[in-house]
């Protein structure tokens, strides 16, 4: 699930292959987006105009956030476990079942950079508020912090003993939180 920046729109993705667009105030469904297979993650662009959805169909579907109409599909080539828009909305990061993180140009749908130091499937990605760092994690139980501009790993964090399903930066970018199948939540500086 994700809220639009104005908190007026909420989206929900499901194993039933749909992303539903909701009016958060009235709780009424405005539109639906249908994928070819299960939805694993969905996100709304920082300007609130686009919805990105990805899942088991190995594609990212970009849709209009008001109507749900498809704008573009991006063939990722692997299951999309997680995705995140950069703070400026120009990049989309995908966490792949093929152990790769890929950065995509939102305007063209072209691959900008492939980040491939994970040993197993990647489940989650998150940009820092300044857009200069990207955190990724998954089945290899390691969190990697990437320099978005260079594509280099600047830090690797270890401590979880099972798959990491979620990461998020604090608004000031000084902390990172991670959640894992080991039933632990870790806070990192």
């Amino acid at each position: 699930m994700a809220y639009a920046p104005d908190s007026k729109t909420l989206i929900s993705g499901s194993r039933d292959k749909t992303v539903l667009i909701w009016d958060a105030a009235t709780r009424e469904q405005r539109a639906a987006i249908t994928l070819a297979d299960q939805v694993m993650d969905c996100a709304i662009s920082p300007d609130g105009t686009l919805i990105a959805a990805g899942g088991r169909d190995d594609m990212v579907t970009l849709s209009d956030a008001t109507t749900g109409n498809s704008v573009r599909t991006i063939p990722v080539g692997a299951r999309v476990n997680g995705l995140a828009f950069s703070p400026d909305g120009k990049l989309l990061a995908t966490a792949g079942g093929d152990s790769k993180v890929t950065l995509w140009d939102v305007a063209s749908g072209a691959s900008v950079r492939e980040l491939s130091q994970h040993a197993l499937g990647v489940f989650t990605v998150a940009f820092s508020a300044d857009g200069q760092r990207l955190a990724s994690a998954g089945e290899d139980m390691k969190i990697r912090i990437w320099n978005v501009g260079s594509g280099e790993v600047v830090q690797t964090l270890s401590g979880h003993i099972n798959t990491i399903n979620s990461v998020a930066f604090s608004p000031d970018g000084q902390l990172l939180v991670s959640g894992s199948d080991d039933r632990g939540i870790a806070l990192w500086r």
Side-chain angles (χ1 to χ4, degrees), residues 2 9 16 32 34 47 60 65-66 69 72 85-86 102-103 105-106 117-118 122 129-131 138-139 141-142 154 162:
T9 300
D16 69 3
T34 303
D47 66 3
V60 169
T66 303
N69 293 337
R72 155 180 321 100
F85 281 100
S86 62
T102 306
L103 299 177
D105 180 87
V106 172
Q117 288 195 16
H118 283 282
V122 185
D130 63 7
E139 292 178 295
M141 301 173 284
K142 299 197 183 313
V154 294
N162 209 326

Side-chain angles (χ1 to χ4, degrees), residues 10-11 15 21 30 36 47 49 52 59 62 72 90 109 111-112 122 148 150 156 162-163:
L10 176 70
I11 61 170
R15 289 184 178 174
I21 304 171
R30 282 196 222 143
D47 66 3
T49 62
M59 306 279 277
L62 293 173
R72 155 180 321 100
K90 293 180 179 178
S111 173
V112 174
V122 185
V148 173
S150 70
T156 301
N162 209 326
T163 298

Side-chain angles (χ1 to χ4, degrees), residues 34-178:
T34 303
L35 274 60
D37 206 332
Q38 294 179 7
V39 178
M40 300 297 287
D41 201 9
C42 54
I44 300 179
S45 62
D47 66 3
T49 62
L50 283 177
I51 292 172
R56 293 185 181 263
D57 64 358
D58 300 352
M59 306 279 277
V60 169
T61 300
L62 293 173
S63 304
D64 181 279
T66 303
T67 64
N69 293 337
S70 179
V71 173
R72 155 180 321 100
T73 56
I74 302 171
V76 175
R79 185 180 70 228
V80 179
N81 293 320
L83 43 79
F85 281 100
S86 62
D88 64 6
K90 293 180 179 178
L91 295 175
L92 181 72
T94 56
D98 60 354
S99 77
K100 294 176 185 168
V101 174
T102 306
L103 299 177
W104 305 90
D105 180 87
V106 172
S108 68
S111 173
V112 174
R113 180 171 285 115
E114 220 172 64
L115 310 173
S116 55
Q117 288 195 16
H118 283 282
L120 299 167
V122 185
F123 280 27
T124 181
V125 286
F127 282 94
S128 59
D130 63 7
Q132 295 183 22
R133 291 172 292 157
L134 178 75
S136 63
E139 292 178 295
D140 66 4
M141 301 173 284
K142 299 197 183 313
I143 301 167
R144 287 180 173 73
I145 309 293
W146 306 85
N147 177 304
V148 173
S150 70
E152 295 177 5
V153 173
V154 294
Q155 197 169 13
T156 301
L157 306 172
S158 300
H160 284 291
I161 57 171
N162 209 326
T163 298
I164 301 168
N165 294 303
S166 184
V167 292
F169 280 98
S170 62
D172 65 4
Q174 298 303 305
L175 297 173
L176 182 79
V177 65
S178 57

